Amino acid sequence: MTASDLAAPVTLREAAETSTAWPFEEARKIVARLERTGRKDVLFETGYGPSGLPHIGTFGEVARTSMVRRAFRLLTDDRIPTRLVAFSDDMDGLRKVPDNIPNKDVVAPHLGKPLTVVPDPFGTHDSFGRHNNARLRAFLDAFGFEYEFMSATDCYKAGGFDAVLRLVLERYDAVMAIMLPSLREERAQSYSPFLPVHPETGVVMQVPIEERNVEKGTIAWTDPDTGKRYETPVTGGHCKLQWKPDWAMRWVALGVDYEMAGKDLIDSVKLSGEIARALGAEPPDGFNYELFLDDKGQKISKSKGNGLTIDEWLDYASPESLALFMYSKPREAKKLHFDVIPRAVDDYLTFLEKYPEQSPRDRLMNPVWHIHGGEPPAPETIETATGATTLSFAMLLNLVAVANSEDPAVLWGFIKRYAPAAAPERHPRLDRLVGYAVRYFRDFVRPAKVYAAPAEAERAALEDLLAALGPHEGSTDGAEIQAVVYEVGRRHFPDLSGKAKSPDGRPGVSQQWFTTLYKILLGQERGPRFGSFAALYGVAETRALIRKGIDGALIAEHEAFLAARRT
């Protein structure tokens, strides 16, 4: 708690006025917008293109927008009604068959047709668009988002966009004047904001418009393959708009106040905003977030299926950890791959643990306030002989490694010995964390381990540690065990720089000592506080692990594991 908080305590509402957390910075923009426009409610929107399976980027947009919405509600004492619409552009024509779907031959004959007409290759819905919409909604519902789902197909066909579509037809020249300078010369020759749906083939046509009848609300065009001329109403789902005019039309028709978009859409946001103004409306506020990258630094793509899917993240970590990943630094490009998961999990646990003791100002800067809509749960702790503590994901991954078991019940056996009152039914979050750790270790950590053989000096230090831990068998006091580890390290790997100090103020230990423990016993460069790890795993078991490291048994076991994977 800061000195200013002690001098003049503030409420969460007061802290929100000056909070530098990015959702509050965005929320204050919306407050200013309402003062400018006189609107009495706020519509937030997120857009989704269901041409491929939903990916984490889609979820991220909904999560981030929900965080801004929650910040706005606190800033305005929840006096102003708000809605969040998750809008699916499912009337778009399918441009190509995605790489990551089954039964591609079912989809291929329907290229160019609206996604809600293309058959579902998964066989679960009446169209590919409806299937992908359901996938998106299922996850949003599972996470507990408060939103309304809208389908472009439904809105167009039900006439919800008819009035603004007629307005676009009326102001056709103004829309074209905005769009044409942004197009290549050859594209500009045939461009029209209206895409008629072919009345016979069902394909969304990209053809020049030969005639417009504002009074009748129709356009005339010719099928380039047959030479047949058609007159098509722009209303009732017989036409759709090219996506930039479509985006602007939707903003105007729905009255959207806030929508964020990826950095790759900056120019599109600008053009759609100009079109919205040409239609007599103010475009929504928002900001441009950075893109997610795969492990090779390439932008993730629904059609390529690179990066992580929603389901893949949730196989290995909690939804809250995913929400934290979305909250953190939205204007910076971030790698979205499996190796970011452990850090996200443990960062979430750390933020949750800090929250109860924080001041109102600090709580609003804590991501868990935004992740949980202002009501984060209490941290889940276990009672040990030395007091309440939490177990990190990193610690559980190491426990899985040395326990040589992928059975969660085996891990719980170690946990219960360390904290006798702990149990899956009393600690459901920890139980889920154990399951995540088992799966993540099996699929990513174990195959990447590289165990080292001890050099002569390292062998001597490990033999010394093995003997020094003997009198402490049965102890679950991590600090007591860590003191033994330090004492042995001080004898064999003293810090010669004079900069490091041990917890008791005596000369410190070289980092080389801990690196030795991690590389030889855990097969990795870094690891947990060793005393805490030994307290959880058991001193007797840790001594057996040290013996196996000295004798080379850990290297042999890992080589056998890798050989089995290759066969």
mmCIF file of all heavy atoms in Angstrom, residues 451-455 459 462-463 519-521 544-560:
data_model
loop_
_atom_site.group_PDB
_atom_site.id
_atom_site.type_symbol
_atom_site.label_atom_id
_atom_site.label_comp_id
_atom_site.label_asym_id
_atom_site.label_seq_id
_atom_site.Cartn_x
_atom_site.Cartn_y
_atom_site.Cartn_z
ATOM 1 N N TYR A 451 19.771 -34.590 -19.725
ATOM 2 C CA TYR A 451 20.447 -34.832 -18.448
ATOM 3 C C TYR A 451 21.958 -34.794 -18.655
ATOM 4 O O TYR A 451 22.488 -35.284 -19.666
ATOM 5 C CB TYR A 451 20.047 -36.191 -17.874
ATOM 6 C CG TYR A 451 18.643 -36.201 -17.331
ATOM 7 C CD1 TYR A 451 17.566 -36.525 -18.156
ATOM 8 C CD2 TYR A 451 18.392 -35.881 -16.002
ATOM 9 C CE1 TYR A 451 16.265 -36.537 -17.661
ATOM 10 C CE2 TYR A 451 17.096 -35.895 -15.505
ATOM 11 C CZ TYR A 451 16.044 -36.216 -16.337
ATOM 12 O OH TYR A 451 14.760 -36.222 -15.844
ATOM 13 N N ALA A 452 22.655 -34.205 -17.681
ATOM 14 C CA ALA A 452 24.117 -34.092 -17.754
ATOM 15 C C ALA A 452 24.772 -35.087 -16.797
ATOM 16 O O ALA A 452 24.224 -35.412 -15.737
ATOM 17 C CB ALA A 452 24.548 -32.673 -17.400
ATOM 18 N N ALA A 453 25.937 -35.566 -17.206
ATOM 19 C CA ALA A 453 26.742 -36.411 -16.318
ATOM 20 C C ALA A 453 27.598 -35.507 -15.438
ATOM 21 O O ALA A 453 28.129 -34.502 -15.907
ATOM 22 C CB ALA A 453 27.628 -37.349 -17.132
ATOM 23 N N PRO A 454 27.761 -35.826 -14.141
ATOM 24 C CA PRO A 454 28.536 -34.942 -13.254
ATOM 25 C C PRO A 454 30.035 -35.009 -13.540
ATOM 26 O O PRO A 454 30.603 -36.082 -13.756
ATOM 27 C CB PRO A 454 28.205 -35.484 -11.858
ATOM 28 C CG PRO A 454 27.858 -36.923 -12.076
ATOM 29 C CD PRO A 454 27.192 -36.989 -13.419
ATOM 30 N N ALA A 455 30.641 -33.813 -13.573
ATOM 31 C CA ALA A 455 32.104 -33.752 -13.611
ATOM 32 C C ALA A 455 32.626 -34.110 -12.209
ATOM 33 O O ALA A 455 31.845 -34.267 -11.258
ATOM 34 C CB ALA A 455 32.561 -32.359 -14.019
ATOM 35 N N ARG A 459 30.435 -34.228 -8.871
ATOM 36 C CA ARG A 459 30.170 -35.506 -8.224
ATOM 37 C C ARG A 459 30.471 -35.415 -6.731
ATOM 38 O O ARG A 459 29.695 -35.896 -5.884
ATOM 39 C CB ARG A 459 31.028 -36.594 -8.879
ATOM 40 C CG ARG A 459 30.802 -38.008 -8.290
ATOM 41 C CD ARG A 459 31.777 -38.997 -8.944
ATOM 42 N NE ARG A 459 31.553 -39.067 -10.380
ATOM 43 C CZ ARG A 459 30.663 -39.865 -10.959
ATOM 44 N NH1 ARG A 459 29.926 -40.668 -10.216
ATOM 45 N NH2 ARG A 459 30.533 -39.881 -12.263
ATOM 46 N N LEU A 462 27.723 -33.483 -4.982
ATOM 47 C CA LEU A 462 26.491 -34.249 -4.869
ATOM 48 C C LEU A 462 26.606 -35.335 -3.794
ATOM 49 O O LEU A 462 25.634 -35.598 -3.067
ATOM 50 C CB LEU A 462 26.130 -34.866 -6.222
ATOM 51 C CG LEU A 462 25.624 -33.873 -7.290
ATOM 52 C CD1 LEU A 462 25.504 -34.573 -8.649
ATOM 53 C CD2 LEU A 462 24.288 -33.267 -6.884
ATOM 54 N N GLU A 463 27.776 -35.959 -3.707
ATOM 55 C CA GLU A 463 27.989 -36.956 -2.645
ATOM 56 C C GLU A 463 27.877 -36.290 -1.285
ATOM 57 O O GLU A 463 27.287 -36.848 -0.337
ATOM 58 C CB GLU A 463 29.354 -37.621 -2.805
ATOM 59 C CG GLU A 463 29.503 -38.531 -4.009
ATOM 60 C CD GLU A 463 28.889 -39.909 -3.790
ATOM 61 O OE1 GLU A 463 28.200 -40.118 -2.774
ATOM 62 O OE2 GLU A 463 29.082 -40.779 -4.672
ATOM 63 N N LYS A 519 20.648 -29.464 -13.937
ATOM 64 C CA LYS A 519 21.051 -30.179 -15.145
ATOM 65 C C LYS A 519 21.231 -31.676 -14.883
ATOM 66 O O LYS A 519 20.869 -32.516 -15.708
ATOM 67 C CB LYS A 519 22.355 -29.594 -15.697
ATOM 68 C CG LYS A 519 22.180 -28.198 -16.290
ATOM 69 C CD LYS A 519 23.508 -27.585 -16.695
ATOM 70 C CE LYS A 519 24.162 -28.364 -17.810
ATOM 71 N NZ LYS A 519 25.413 -27.696 -18.278
ATOM 72 N N ILE A 520 21.754 -32.028 -13.729
ATOM 73 C CA ILE A 520 22.044 -33.437 -13.454
ATOM 74 C C ILE A 520 20.813 -34.169 -12.919
ATOM 75 O O ILE A 520 20.543 -35.317 -13.306
ATOM 76 C CB ILE A 520 23.220 -33.553 -12.466
ATOM 77 C CG1 ILE A 520 24.501 -33.013 -13.122
ATOM 78 C CG2 ILE A 520 23.417 -35.002 -12.008
ATOM 79 C CD1 ILE A 520 25.683 -32.908 -12.182
ATOM 80 N N LEU A 521 20.042 -33.502 -12.069
ATOM 81 C CA LEU A 521 18.916 -34.182 -11.425
ATOM 82 C C LEU A 521 17.583 -33.983 -12.148
ATOM 83 O O LEU A 521 16.712 -34.850 -12.072
ATOM 84 C CB LEU A 521 18.775 -33.704 -9.978
ATOM 85 C CG LEU A 521 20.022 -33.871 -9.089
ATOM 86 C CD1 LEU A 521 19.720 -33.397 -7.681
ATOM 87 C CD2 LEU A 521 20.511 -35.318 -9.095
ATOM 88 N N ALA A 544 17.568 -40.420 -3.093
ATOM 89 C CA ALA A 544 17.612 -41.484 -4.107
ATOM 90 C C ALA A 544 17.810 -40.886 -5.499
ATOM 91 O O ALA A 544 18.520 -41.452 -6.349
ATOM 92 C CB ALA A 544 16.320 -42.302 -4.055
ATOM 93 N N LEU A 545 17.188 -39.730 -5.740
ATOM 94 C CA LEU A 545 17.358 -39.055 -7.028
ATOM 95 C C LEU A 545 18.810 -38.617 -7.217
ATOM 96 O O LEU A 545 19.376 -38.758 -8.312
ATOM 97 C CB LEU A 545 16.416 -37.839 -7.084
ATOM 98 C CG LEU A 545 16.438 -37.021 -8.367
ATOM 99 C CD1 LEU A 545 15.810 -37.809 -9.517
ATOM 100 C CD2 LEU A 545 15.677 -35.695 -8.171
ATOM 101 N N ILE A 546 19.415 -38.102 -6.162
ATOM 102 C CA ILE A 546 20.823 -37.678 -6.243
ATOM 103 C C ILE A 546 21.715 -38.878 -6.554
ATOM 104 O O ILE A 546 22.636 -38.791 -7.382
ATOM 105 C CB ILE A 546 21.252 -36.993 -4.924
ATOM 106 C CG1 ILE A 546 20.483 -35.679 -4.735
ATOM 107 C CG2 ILE A 546 22.757 -36.748 -4.902
ATOM 108 C CD1 ILE A 546 20.656 -35.062 -3.363
ATOM 109 N N ARG A 547 21.456 -40.011 -5.928
ATOM 110 C CA ARG A 547 22.254 -41.202 -6.198
ATOM 111 C C ARG A 547 22.131 -41.605 -7.665
ATOM 112 O O ARG A 547 23.128 -41.958 -8.302
ATOM 113 C CB ARG A 547 21.789 -42.339 -5.274
ATOM 114 C CG ARG A 547 22.433 -43.701 -5.546
ATOM 115 C CD ARG A 547 23.950 -43.633 -5.625
ATOM 116 N NE ARG A 547 24.540 -43.195 -4.358
ATOM 117 C CZ ARG A 547 25.791 -42.753 -4.237
ATOM 118 N NH1 ARG A 547 26.586 -42.662 -5.310
ATOM 119 N NH2 ARG A 547 26.242 -42.369 -3.061
ATOM 120 N N LYS A 548 20.934 -41.557 -8.205
ATOM 121 C CA LYS A 548 20.747 -41.908 -9.608
ATOM 122 C C LYS A 548 21.465 -40.918 -10.523
ATOM 123 O O LYS A 548 21.994 -41.306 -11.572
ATOM 124 C CB LYS A 548 19.261 -41.950 -9.951
ATOM 125 C CG LYS A 548 18.510 -43.093 -9.275
ATOM 126 C CD LYS A 548 17.007 -43.010 -9.486
ATOM 127 C CE LYS A 548 16.631 -43.391 -10.898
ATOM 128 N NZ LYS A 548 15.142 -43.464 -11.043
ATOM 129 N N GLY A 549 21.490 -39.638 -10.126
ATOM 130 C CA GLY A 549 22.222 -38.651 -10.917
ATOM 131 C C GLY A 549 23.710 -38.897 -10.897
ATOM 132 O O GLY A 549 24.391 -38.771 -11.922
ATOM 133 N N ILE A 550 24.227 -39.267 -9.728
ATOM 134 C CA ILE A 550 25.672 -39.552 -9.610
ATOM 135 C C ILE A 550 26.043 -40.782 -10.435
ATOM 136 O O ILE A 550 27.063 -40.810 -11.133
ATOM 137 C CB ILE A 550 26.040 -39.765 -8.123
ATOM 138 C CG1 ILE A 550 25.882 -38.465 -7.340
ATOM 139 C CG2 ILE A 550 27.468 -40.290 -7.998
ATOM 140 C CD1 ILE A 550 26.002 -38.633 -5.833
ATOM 141 N N ASP A 551 25.203 -41.802 -10.388
ATOM 142 C CA ASP A 551 25.520 -43.075 -11.037
ATOM 143 C C ASP A 551 25.201 -43.099 -12.528
ATOM 144 O O ASP A 551 25.490 -44.099 -13.202
ATOM 145 C CB ASP A 551 24.751 -44.209 -10.348
ATOM 146 C CG ASP A 551 25.200 -44.408 -8.903
ATOM 147 O OD1 ASP A 551 26.284 -43.897 -8.550
ATOM 148 O OD2 ASP A 551 24.457 -45.045 -8.139
ATOM 149 N N GLY A 552 24.556 -42.065 -13.052
ATOM 150 C CA GLY A 552 24.217 -42.036 -14.470
ATOM 151 C C GLY A 552 22.907 -42.709 -14.815
ATOM 152 O O GLY A 552 22.558 -42.844 -15.995
ATOM 153 N N ALA A 553 22.152 -43.138 -13.795
ATOM 154 C CA ALA A 553 20.904 -43.843 -14.067
ATOM 155 C C ALA A 553 19.858 -42.927 -14.711
ATOM 156 O O ALA A 553 19.043 -43.375 -15.530
ATOM 157 C CB ALA A 553 20.344 -44.427 -12.771
ATOM 158 N N LEU A 554 19.867 -41.635 -14.361
ATOM 159 C CA LEU A 554 18.898 -40.723 -14.948
ATOM 160 C C LEU A 554 19.142 -40.551 -16.442
ATOM 161 O O LEU A 554 18.192 -40.490 -17.242
ATOM 162 C CB LEU A 554 18.955 -39.361 -14.243
ATOM 163 C CG LEU A 554 18.552 -39.358 -12.762
ATOM 164 C CD1 LEU A 554 18.713 -37.964 -12.164
ATOM 165 C CD2 LEU A 554 17.116 -39.850 -12.593
ATOM 166 N N ILE A 555 20.404 -40.493 -16.833
ATOM 167 C CA ILE A 555 20.735 -40.396 -18.255
ATOM 168 C C ILE A 555 20.283 -41.649 -18.986
ATOM 169 O O ILE A 555 19.666 -41.582 -20.059
ATOM 170 C CB ILE A 555 22.252 -40.181 -18.445
ATOM 171 C CG1 ILE A 555 22.676 -38.827 -17.869
ATOM 172 C CG2 ILE A 555 22.642 -40.286 -19.915
ATOM 173 C CD1 ILE A 555 24.177 -38.586 -17.907
ATOM 174 N N ALA A 556 20.543 -42.808 -18.414
ATOM 175 C CA ALA A 556 20.167 -44.067 -19.058
ATOM 176 C C ALA A 556 18.652 -44.182 -19.210
ATOM 177 O O ALA A 556 18.148 -44.614 -20.257
ATOM 178 C CB ALA A 556 20.705 -45.240 -18.241
ATOM 179 N N GLU A 557 17.913 -43.794 -18.168
ATOM 180 C CA GLU A 557 16.456 -43.870 -18.243
ATOM 181 C C GLU A 557 15.900 -42.951 -19.328
ATOM 182 O O GLU A 557 14.981 -43.316 -20.066
ATOM 183 C CB GLU A 557 15.848 -43.491 -16.886
ATOM 184 C CG GLU A 557 16.054 -44.535 -15.796
ATOM 185 C CD GLU A 557 15.545 -44.050 -14.447
ATOM 186 O OE1 GLU A 557 15.024 -42.911 -14.369
ATOM 187 O OE2 GLU A 557 15.677 -44.802 -13.454
ATOM 188 N N HIS A 558 16.475 -41.763 -19.430
ATOM 189 C CA HIS A 558 15.982 -40.818 -20.432
ATOM 190 C C HIS A 558 16.323 -41.288 -21.844
ATOM 191 O O HIS A 558 15.505 -41.141 -22.770
ATOM 192 C CB HIS A 558 16.562 -39.429 -20.186
ATOM 193 C CG HIS A 558 15.906 -38.358 -21.007
ATOM 194 N ND1 HIS A 558 14.569 -38.064 -20.904
ATOM 195 C CD2 HIS A 558 16.393 -37.530 -21.973
ATOM 196 C CE1 HIS A 558 14.256 -37.093 -21.748
ATOM 197 N NE2 HIS A 558 15.349 -36.757 -22.411
ATOM 198 N N GLU A 559 17.493 -41.846 -22.018
ATOM 199 C CA GLU A 559 17.858 -42.369 -23.339
ATOM 200 C C GLU A 559 16.922 -43.502 -23.740
ATOM 201 O O GLU A 559 16.529 -43.610 -24.915
ATOM 202 C CB GLU A 559 19.309 -42.842 -23.327
ATOM 203 C CG GLU A 559 20.319 -41.696 -23.279
ATOM 204 C CD GLU A 559 21.756 -42.189 -23.174
ATOM 205 O OE1 GLU A 559 21.952 -43.393 -22.907
ATOM 206 O OE2 GLU A 559 22.672 -41.359 -23.365
ATOM 207 N N ALA A 560 16.539 -44.342 -22.781
ATOM 208 C CA ALA A 560 15.596 -45.422 -23.086
ATOM 209 C C ALA A 560 14.231 -44.863 -23.472
ATOM 210 O O ALA A 560 13.572 -45.363 -24.391
ATOM 211 C CB ALA A 560 15.472 -46.350 -21.876
#
